[in-house]
Amino acid sequence: MNESGLRSSMIALSMCNFMVAFMVSGVGACLPSIGTSLHASAGDLSLISAVYVLSLVIFNIVAAQLIAIMGQRKVFLYGFALFLVMCLSLAFSPNIELVWAQRFIQGAGAAMVATSSVTLLISIAPRSMQGRLMGLLTASTYVGIALGPLVGGGIATALGWRWLFVVLLPLGVLAWFAMFRTVRVRQVPVPTRLDLPGISIMGLGFILLTVGASCVGRYDFAHWFLIAGGIVLVLFVFVETRVVRPVVDVRFIAAHPSLILGLFAALVNFGSINGLLYYFMLYLQQLRFLTPLEAGAFVALQSVAQSLLSSLAGKLSDRIGPDPVSAIGLAFSGAGILLSSQLDMDSSLYFVGLTQCVIGMGLAFFAGPNTLSIVRSVDSSHTPEASGLANTMRTLGMLISLIIVSATMTRYLGSHGASPEMAEPFLAGMTFDLRLFVAFNILGLVLVSLRILNSWRCSLGKGVDCIPDDAFLEEDGMENEQAQESFREDSATEQKSR
């Protein structure tokens, strides 16, 4: 693909990812308005996020197998179209039950976009530019996350929550047509079928885990759901080892330690970061008496730092490799969380803003480079699966942090909520978890260091799962030639049809 075509494709790809991220974070700001309009309880509103997360966990992996069957371009276009249709549908939802179903379907579309975005980038971009373009893609996502709560809250206040799903629809339709016109990737579909038994078992396991995570601290039966979910996922791994074309190729993953290290690094990092949002919002609103808008502005500093520095992280990845940049990101994340553990009732709000910026720096240097490292640790035929697994591990990290935070708050606060009267036990529980999250990032740093060691051993010809760089270069050349040929053929076909 030539330079202008690559630029147009990346702009369209970034627009689509921006909108998906914006809608995800924007809905959170509209939950109180949705509850008032649809007469939904707090528990009902929590399920809006729970079913969306559940859908992401399941369909991030399913999307990888769909890419093998249909091709990454079709999966992206179908997924984003599904996401847009659900946006329009949500604007007319008459009850909370329909909102749950729509958000689950919308999560499936978002998962298809997230998984296929990375594989499309790897297919259309030369290896020497993949880091900076991954940084651009990551930055567009973080800009959407940062603007979602602020703009979404403003739209809900001025126009009503339903308008959130309508305002950006023209931008989404424009981005879809831009992707349809600019991106041409030749991919030979694999003659296979969806692994429906494996998907069913996996879905059941994640449903049990999600229900258990949502009920920790509120119901005594929560731990039984967590145990049952773990057992079902173990059964899923056992079944997948005996399927010819599984939805998750367990044997392939087990043969690639570098892939495993990258996936678990993503798990522990996102497992630490997601819990911070809960603590910061309660700390700023319930203990420091900031308005939701003011608290959201402080938390948005994290995403602003991420969006500003992601491009730099991508350029560094192209220059020194993604693994060292990921290690830098984990170090900054751990430092930011460690600073946050010092917060008390007298802490300066400037200090709170500093912690958010440092954590945002860490995520900017970790998220994109680690994803790039994960997809580069496998051959091109397994890139969709690696991308889907990376997204799934990040979502699992969110569930893990939810379990940890819920259990800790139950232990320290019991049935009481966060308030100035309960400031001492709340801060004690928050400090305990933040120190645990620092340990998570240290573990992630160890995992990435092992990846760096394996890369060094590869350079000496001693690595356990090395893929030579010339193999990547050859694949890049073949894929770019195929993409150009496909683009010319499709253009000729369109002209003839006209």
Side-chain angles (χ1 to χ4, degrees):
M1 181 176 291
N2 57 38
E3 185 176 349
S4 61
L6 180 60
R7 185 185 302 112
S8 300
S9 298
M10 286 305 304
I11 291 174
L13 198 60
S14 299
M15 288 170 60
C16 294
N17 279 270
F18 163 82
M19 185 169 177
V20 170
F22 176 86
M23 284 298 178
V24 171
S25 61
V27 168
C30 295
L31 287 179
S33 300
I34 295 175
T36 302
S37 173
L38 301 182
H39 308 290
S41 66
D44 293 336
L45 294 177
S46 68
L47 285 177
I48 294 178
S49 299
V51 297
Y52 189 85
V53 171
L54 174 63
S55 181
L56 287 178
V57 172
I58 296 173
F59 287 99
N60 276 326
I61 295 178
V62 175
Q65 196 166 50
L66 287 175
I67 288 173
I69 298 172
M70 301 166 52
Q72 52 208 4
R73 181 175 180 271
K74 286 185 177 180
V75 170
F76 184 94
L77 292 174
Y78 288 156
F80 193 55
L82 181 63
F83 186 88
L84 294 177
V85 170
M86 286 300 104
C87 281
L88 183 61
S89 176
L90 279 160
F92 300 96
S93 294
N95 55 63
I96 192 65
E97 291 80 12
L98 186 58
V99 171
W100 295 337
Q102 291 165 329
R103 285 292 281 173
F104 184 84
I105 298 172
Q106 191 176 48
M112 293 167 69
V113 170
T115 300
S116 56
S117 291
V118 176
T119 61
L120 279 171
L121 187 150
I122 296 297
S123 297
I124 66 178
R127 184 174 172 83
S128 60
M129 297 178 61
Q130 288 173 0
R132 71 190 72 176
L133 294 180
M134 183 70 76
L136 174 63
L137 191 64
T138 305
S140 67
T141 301
Y142 290 144
V143 170
I145 293 173
L147 292 179
L150 298 177
V151 178
I155 291 175
T157 302
L159 302 174
W161 66 270
R162 297 181 187 275
W163 283 96
L164 172 70
F165 300 103
V166 178
V167 168
L168 288 186
L169 270 181
L171 175 63
V173 174
L174 177 64
W176 188 92
F177 275 105
M179 286 295 297
F180 179 78
R181 295 283 296 177
T182 61
V183 177
R184 294 288 185 268
V185 179
R186 177 179 291 275
Q187 181 178 349
V188 179
V190 178
T192 186
R193 296 181 179 179
L194 281 176
D195 177 19
L196 295 180
I199 293 172
S200 300
I201 297 174
M202 177 185 67
L204 175 61
F206 284 135
I207 288 173
L208 293 171
L209 287 180
T210 303
V211 172
S214 301
C215 295
V216 168
R218 293 188 295 168
Y219 302 102
D220 294 335
F221 59 76
H223 66 281
W224 291 112
F225 276 86
L226 295 175
I227 293 173
I231 293 174
V232 171
L233 290 182
V234 171
L235 174 63
F236 167 72
V237 173
F238 176 80
V239 171
E240 293 297 273
T241 59
R242 284 156 175 76
V243 177
V244 177
R245 293 197 178 275
V247 67
V248 176
D249 194 340
V250 178
R251 289 167 292 188
F252 176 83
I253 296 172
H256 289 74
S258 290
L259 174 61
I260 296 174
L261 292 172
L263 292 174
F264 275 96
L267 175 72
V268 296
N269 179 259
F270 280 81
S272 65
I273 297 301
N274 190 68
L276 293 178
L277 176 63
Y278 174 88
Y279 279 124
F280 275 120
M281 293 303 287
L282 285 181
Y283 170 78
L284 292 172
Q285 293 185 57
Q286 303 298 325
L287 271 64
R288 303 301 298 270
F289 300 110
L290 270 65
T291 65
L293 181 61
E294 292 170 336
F298 270 98
V299 174
L301 288 174
Q302 184 183 125
S303 296
V304 171
Q306 290 171 287
S307 60
L308 292 176
L309 293 173
S310 291
S311 179
L312 174 61
K315 292 178 181 178
L316 283 176
S317 297
D318 287 333
R319 181 170 298 180
I320 65 176
D323 285 331
V325 181
S326 299
I328 294 172
L330 286 165
F332 272 112
S333 295
I337 298 173
L338 186 61
L339 287 174
S340 302
S341 67
Q342 307 303 313
L343 292 174
D344 56 33
M345 294 293 291
D346 300 319
S347 297
S348 168
L349 292 179
Y350 291 106
F351 182 73
V352 177
L354 173 64
T355 63
Q356 292 299 298
C357 291
V358 175
I359 293 170
M361 291 172 60
L363 282 178
F365 283 93
F366 175 77
N370 186 65
T371 299
L372 182 61
S373 182
I374 287 173
V375 297
R376 281 185 177 179
S377 64
V378 299
D379 58 85
S380 60
S381 64
H382 286 86
T383 297
E385 186 173 356
S387 175
L389 286 171
N391 291 326
T392 296
M393 294 301 272
R394 287 194 286 266
T395 311
L396 277 177
M398 295 168 58
L399 288 177
I400 290 173
S401 66
L402 175 62
I403 294 170
I404 292 173
V405 170
S406 297
T408 301
M409 287 293 95
T410 300
R411 175 187 174 189
Y412 282 86
L413 296 182
S415 58
H416 299 283
S419 63
E421 294 76 19
M422 300 297 294
E424 184 176 349
F426 173 83
L427 290 173
M430 183 177 78
T431 301
F432 175 84
D433 276 354
L434 295 187
R435 289 174 179 172
L436 178 62
F437 295 155
V438 171
F440 278 10
N441 280 272
I442 293 174
L443 174 59
L445 192 57
V446 171
L447 295 174
V448 172
S449 298
L450 291 175
R451 285 181 59 91
I452 295 174
L453 176 61
N454 188 59
S455 297
W456 176 73
R457 288 172 59 86
C458 283
S459 66
L460 300 177
K462 300 177 181 179
V464 293
D465 58 333
C466 305
I467 300 178
D469 284 344
D470 56 353
F472 281 113
L473 293 174
E474 182 180 353
E475 286 179 359
D476 285 340
M478 293 176 62
E479 288 174 355
N480 287 331
E481 289 178 5
Q482 291 173 347
Q484 293 177 16
E485 180 184 352
S486 175
F487 183 82
R488 289 193 294 267
E489 290 177 355
D490 291 339
S491 299
T493 301
E494 288 177 4
Q495 292 177 358
K496 289 180 180 179
S497 63
R498 290 173 183 172

